[in-house]
Amino acid sequence: MLYLPAMSNKEIARKFNLLGKVMELHDENPFKIRSYTSAYASLRKVSSPLVEMTEEQLGEIKGVGKAIVGKIIELRDTGNMATLQRYVDITPAGILEMLQIRGFGPKKVKVMWNQLNITTPGELLLACQENRLVALKGFGMKTQKALQEQLEFYFASHGQSHYAYIIDEANELLGLLQDRFAQDLVEITGEIRRRMPVVSAIEILTTASEEEMEAFIMELTEDAPEVLSFKGFAVEITQVEEEYFGMEQFEKSASKEFLEAADIEYEPYEEEESIFLEWDMAYIDPEYRESAIAVDQAKSGTLPELITNDDMLGVVHNHSTYSDGLHTLREMSDYTRDNGFQYLVMSDHSKAAFYADGLKEDQVIAQWAEIDEINASYDDGFRVYKGIEADILNDGSMDYGDDFLSQFEVVVASVHSQLNMDMDKANRRLIKAIENPHTHILGHMTGRLLLSRAGYPVDHELIIDACAANGMIIELNANPQRLDMDWTWIPSALEKGVMISINPDAHVRESIHYMQYGVNVARKAGLTKNQCLNSKSASEFALWVDSLKG
Ligand SMILES: [Zn+2]
Ligand SMILES: [Zn+2]
């Protein structure tokens, strides 16, 4: 006989809860749904093990009828419930995942699925960031914001998190630990220190006692999680002798390739800097400790001067209320200017993007007039550019005619629909758009969402070659979920002379600060300010825009 670990009452109850939810999702009989939901409510309260009860005993439980008894027995004997499995089979895995998110019931999930075609939690988070929920019936700004926070937490508490959603908590914990263990060394290490786009834990390196630190962190947490954690984020502590602190920090803050190339013996170093000094290398920032090339550069004194947030002078690829942004053109430009930037390239959605209120030609013309007014109102040279995020259609053509498209100052070309493509199709589609003489920047190259959606497959080398041949700039979309094109391809683009534009794709004015996450990963790739489009000063950028007309 097949050995099955006995199911707990909670596990059994949860199956009925899920059954109720998926049936609601698929518009089943509300009466049946209610019976499963109430079975869930009563089964979880039963104190003796359900698996040890007889049919008669099960039948006596309040709210448990014959059909449910049968399903409990099926679960007990086979570990499965055929009815539930039937619904699970016809429901995308990501939809099932969304049903597990607290405060997000089947009704809302269904609206997302049917009306926005969202099938994963990551797509849902992007939809919140891009204001897609506000327009839906039954959803408002408040729901969207609450859901966005819920989702950020959801990712954080499910093993891996986007860097952007963990960094504040990591720094907060670091501060608390440095206060409490003031006599000891306490630093962040590992993936966060390397500014990886996706992080699995807050890693702490310390000379303090691991037990004491664990106890302290546990006191900070109210509930008792299975793993050591802070505000829902897993925490890992490594205790090290003071004289090895620098050595351990060095080993934990680099890729395998880098460490092999550096080939440094494990010896006592209290400070990381001493390692570089002693091994005749210039100091390398942890995020750039990725490749063997970095080691060579450090030894030969040719390290690139990595781009910084201060080098970002303009903000490219932004949305306003003309399409799916939350803020008006004026609010977007004032905010960008107030934050010290020199120019803003607006790029609302083009007309094919109906789901995002893409702009018809007459709306574009109205926007241009408003941009002229806004520009005239500034006396410090701050400038708003007339751009567009033009949809790359299924066959690679653009959704405005050539004459119209050529009148924009900057054209970001992006794929937003029919993402299910094989590599050949995707390559052909992108290359046709790249070869279009009126496109300038290739937006989010693969459409991927980190931890959520792989994106369509592309031959990166081929696409980069096409960009090089056509003077196309590649976007590093800085939305922390996208970070697309992946930073590991940036060196190849740079080698071929293709510039990178670090774009926030802001749908809310504050999201222009997403650029910092792009800068983080661009630094991993060795990007310098000369190779970045929006590190150009106002006058250099104006020259570049002029050059596009010729
Ligand atoms: Zn886009
Ligand atoms: Zn966009």
Side-chain angles (χ1 to χ4, degrees):
M1 198 186 131
L2 192 71
Y3 171 77
L4 290 167
M7 290 180 102
S8 72
N9 291 5
K10 261 193 187 157
E11 283 172 293
I12 292 173
R14 259 190 244 132
K15 298 274 183 196
F16 284 97
N17 190 30
L18 182 60
L19 179 60
K21 284 181 174 177
V22 282
M23 285 179 72
E24 194 174 344
L25 203 61
H26 291 282
D27 281 326
E28 293 298 351
N29 180 338
F31 182 73
K32 273 192 179 170
I33 295 169
R34 208 171 316 129
S35 79
Y36 293 132
T37 316
S38 62
Y40 160 69
S42 40
L43 290 177
R44 61 202 294 251
K45 285 187 219 137
V46 176
S47 52
S48 46
L50 291 163
V51 290
E52 287 170 15
M53 291 165 85
T54 64
E55 256 185 81
E56 289 74 43
Q57 288 170 320
L58 288 171
E60 283 160 17
I61 302 169
K62 190 175 148 271
V64 172
K66 222 175 146 194
I68 289 166
V69 170
K71 287 185 169 60
I72 297 173
I73 290 171
E74 186 192 356
L75 271 172
R76 182 192 68 192
D77 295 345
T78 69
N80 239 316
M81 193 202 295
T83 316
L84 174 60
Q85 198 54 45
R86 252 197 334 270
Y87 288 105
V88 166
D89 288 344
I90 55 167
T91 312
I95 291 281
L96 293 170
E97 228 184 309
M98 277 158 66
L99 284 175
Q100 320 283 330
I101 298 168
R102 199 172 298 174
F104 207 58
K107 274 195 196 67
K108 286 181 180 154
V109 173
K110 208 171 122 192
V111 174
M112 296 298 121
W113 190 11
N114 293 347
Q115 298 193 25
L116 298 179
N117 204 17
I118 286 170
T119 56
T120 67
E123 288 171 335
L124 182 58
L125 177 53
L126 186 75
C128 292
Q129 290 164 341
E130 300 192 343
N131 292 313
R132 303 242 187 285
L133 271 54
V134 181
L136 293 176
K137 223 180 133 193
F139 291 83
M141 219 26 231
K142 249 175 91 180
T143 319
Q144 177 171 285
K145 197 159 173 274
L147 190 56
Q148 186 170 341
E149 280 164 16
Q150 195 71 45
L151 283 159
E152 287 171 7
F153 179 77
Y154 172 80
F155 278 110
S157 52
H158 280 71
Q160 285 191 303
S161 172
H162 305 88
Y163 176 94
Y165 310 142
I166 198 172
I167 186 64
D168 289 347
E169 283 76 7
N171 284 326
E172 187 186 340
L173 177 63
L174 179 66
L176 290 168
L177 294 177
Q178 286 177 333
D179 276 355
R180 166 64 180 76
F181 299 92
Q183 308 304 317
D184 284 288
L185 296 171
V186 187
E187 293 294 345
I188 286 178
T189 190
E191 293 171 329
I192 295 182
R193 189 159 186 256
R194 291 172 61 198
R195 306 192 195 186
M196 299 299 280
V198 167
V199 169
S200 50
I202 304 174
E203 294 171 71
I204 301 287
L205 184 66
T206 186
T207 55
S209 138
E210 195 175 326
E211 289 75 39
E212 277 177 42
M213 193 170 276
E214 266 187 39
F216 174 73
I217 295 172
M218 285 202 310
E219 272 170 38
L220 297 171
T221 339
E222 280 152 33
D223 48 346
E226 284 158 40
V227 292
L228 186 66
S229 61
F230 177 69
K231 298 198 169 175
F233 298 87
V235 179
E236 284 170 18
I237 301 167
T238 306
Q239 185 184 344
V240 64
E241 298 285 316
E242 188 162 335
E243 55 175 347
Y244 282 96
F245 191 86
M247 189 67 230
E248 198 64 30
Q249 184 64 305
F250 182 81
E251 297 235 305
K252 285 190 171 298
S253 311
S255 75
K256 225 175 134 217
E257 179 186 327
F258 177 91
L259 289 175
E260 278 170 15
D263 195 22
I264 283 163
E265 278 162 50
Y266 195 88
E267 280 170 359
Y269 288 101
E270 199 180 318
E271 279 169 12
E272 222 182 18
E273 284 82 356
S274 335
I275 301 175
F276 289 92
L277 270 175
E278 200 145 314
W279 290 77
D280 272 333
M281 291 193 287
Y283 180 81
I284 309 172
D285 292 316
E287 60 270 32
Y288 190 54
R289 298 178 201 164
E290 289 291 339
S291 63
I293 295 170
V295 175
D296 289 342
Q297 291 170 331
K299 285 185 174 164
S300 60
T302 55
L303 275 176
E305 202 169 310
L306 303 179
I307 193 157
T308 66
N309 288 319
D310 289 342
D311 293 328
M312 304 311 299
L313 301 183
V315 187
V316 179
H317 188 165
N318 302 282
H319 300 263
S320 72
T321 47
Y322 275 85
S323 65
D324 57 350
L326 188 69
H327 291 105
T328 62
L329 198 53
R330 172 58 87 168
E331 286 167 333
M332 288 300 292
S333 48
D334 282 353
Y335 184 83
T336 304
R337 180 170 168 261
D338 292 346
N339 276 273
F341 294 100
Q342 302 178 6
Y343 50 93
L344 171 75
V345 176
M346 283 312 300
S347 49
D348 273 304
H349 286 286
S350 62
K351 66 178 174 184
F354 58 88
Y355 64 89
D357 283 328
L359 272 53
K360 304 219 168 48
E361 283 84 347
D362 58 323
Q363 294 170 298
V364 171
I365 289 164
Q367 189 180 50
W368 288 345
E370 195 185 338
I371 289 177
D372 287 337
E373 267 172 46
I374 291 175
N375 281 334
S377 74
Y378 295 138
D379 52 10
D380 57 357
F382 181 88
R383 180 150 174 206
V384 181
Y385 283 93
K386 298 164 184 166
I388 192 84
E389 181 176 21
D391 261 44
I392 302 175
L393 301 178
N394 199 25
D395 65 355
S397 64
M398 307 308 295
D399 64 344
Y400 294 121
D402 274 357
D403 279 352
F404 195 72
L405 199 59
S406 69
Q407 295 176 57
F408 289 99
E409 293 178 298
V410 179
V411 175
V412 179
S414 310
V415 168
H416 289 117
S417 58
Q418 290 161 296
L419 305 185
N420 275 327
M421 304 181 271
D422 61 27
M423 192 187 276
D424 263 0
K425 168 83 201 281
N427 290 340
R428 269 182 281 127
R429 188 172 172 185
L430 291 186
I431 289 172
K432 187 166 173 196
I434 293 164
E435 288 174 345
N436 186 313
H438 307 299
T439 60
H440 311 124
I441 301 173
L442 181 60
H444 42 75
M445 188 191 283
T446 71
R448 73 146 176 214
L449 293 177
L450 291 164
L451 297 178
S452 196
R453 179 168 88 194
Y456 42 83
V458 301
D459 182 335
H460 283 83
E461 291 296 353
L462 201 68
I463 302 297
I464 292 169
D465 284 341
C467 289
N470 291 278
M472 190 86 163
I473 284 161
I474 294 177
E475 168 178 276
L476 166 51
N477 190 295
N479 177 306
Q481 277 208 93
R482 291 189 185 269
L483 296 172
D484 183 12
M485 157 176 97
D486 193 82
W487 66 269
T488 53
W489 289 99
I490 292 178
S492 166
L494 299 180
E495 219 171 88
K496 291 166 180 165
V498 177
M499 274 200 143
I500 303 295
S501 189
I502 302 180
N503 301 344
D505 199 354
H507 287 70
V508 177
R509 61 186 169 195
E510 291 79 10
S511 296
I512 64 171
H513 304 298
Y514 279 166
M515 282 200 294
Q516 63 185 300
Y517 306 117
V519 168
N520 277 343
V521 295
R523 289 171 63 82
K524 299 182 73 58
L527 188 75
T528 66
K529 67 176 178 187
N530 298 329
Q531 298 160 315
C532 179
L533 177 69
N534 48 332
S535 295
K536 287 182 186 295
S537 67
S539 56
E540 290 166 339
F541 194 83
L543 280 176
W544 175 74
V545 172
D546 273 346
S547 75
L548 301 175
K549 290 176 196 142

